[in-house]
Amino acid sequence: MNKNEFMELIKRGDPITGGTEAHALLVQYSNEALRITAELNGAYHEPDKVRALFSRLTGKDIDDSFFMFPPFYTDFGKNITIGKNVFFNTGCTFQDRGGITIGDGTQIGQNVVLATLNHGVAPEKRQVTYPFPIVIGKTVWIGANATILPGVTIGDNAIIGAGAVVTKDVPGNAVVAGVPAKVIKMIE
């Protein structure tokens, strides 16, 4: 399996089983992400250098308006897409193999977790990971320590309360909070 075939497998959302050729490539890319995030997190960098490292991590151009406070953690890095005027606060962890798309103007608070993978439920399937994308709309605000689970879409202008665990889609202009997160009000 070459790099292009592997990335197509990733884009399709195919499960990956431990011990396969795809798993070996996944480990290779994960180690690359570890090297880049260690560089990103290991010292102070000017904002331009942070963007350059993040671009190297994702393999995509990052807009000059992107701003983040390291540290930042990811297990893959190549399946993150970021819009303009996006901000990440310190300590975010993105498990991105399933795909993470973040719309323009979104702000992500400290220690937010975006998790795109599930494992098989049956004991014999625990080594299989199943990816589901996370899509975050425009001008979303995600509060500190929130967790967004696999397959969730968050609508434009939504607010995710601090510490929320988001298990299902959030409509645009909704404020959600709690564990599991529930709509507590709509923004007019």
Side-chain angles (χ1 to χ4, degrees), residues 140-177:
V140 172
W141 173 20
I142 302 176
N145 297 304
T147 299
I148 315 299
L149 295 181
V152 167
T153 295
I154 299 172
D156 293 348
N157 307 313
I159 297 173
I160 310 302
V165 176
V166 183
T167 61
K168 54 187 167 184
D169 292 353
V170 175
N173 298 306
V175 178
V176 301

Side-chain angles (χ1 to χ4, degrees), residues 11-62:
K11 286 178 186 174
R12 283 193 311 269
D14 291 354
I16 294 179
T17 303
T20 63
E21 187 177 9
H23 185 260
L25 283 168
L26 178 61
V27 169
Q28 176 184 325
Y29 282 110
S30 294
N31 282 317
E32 179 182 320
L34 288 171
R35 282 190 300 277
I36 295 168
T37 55
E39 184 177 350
L40 174 68
N41 299 334
Y44 172 78
H45 303 288
E46 293 292 330
D48 287 344
K49 177 68 172 177
V50 170
R51 282 188 291 276
L53 287 165
F54 208 82
S55 180
R56 203 169 100 214
L57 176 67
T58 63
K60 299 172 185 157
D61 290 335
I62 300 297

Side-chain angles (χ1 to χ4, degrees), residues 53-138:
L53 287 165
F54 208 82
S55 180
R56 203 169 100 214
L57 176 67
T58 63
K60 299 172 185 157
D61 290 335
I62 300 297
D63 191 79
D64 288 344
S65 62
F66 172 69
F67 191 76
M68 72 176 295
F69 292 139
F72 174 82
Y73 306 97
T74 185
D75 65 340
F76 185 61
K78 300 296 185 219
N79 213 0
I80 301 170
T81 303
I82 298 171
K84 296 178 180 179
N85 297 307
V86 171
F87 170 71
F88 300 167
N89 213 325
T90 60
C92 291
T93 301
F94 290 9
Q95 181 191 52
D96 68 285
R97 197 182 90 224
I100 295 172
T101 302
I102 301 169
D104 296 346
T106 290
Q107 299 180 60
I108 299 180
Q110 294 173 323
N111 302 314
V112 166
V113 174
L114 304 180
T116 67
L117 297 178
N118 276 327
H119 288 267
V121 174
E124 65 276 6
K125 297 284 188 180
R126 296 276 164 83
Q127 298 299 317
V128 180
T129 52
Y130 299 90
F132 301 94
I134 292 173
V135 178
I136 300 169
K138 295 179 181 178

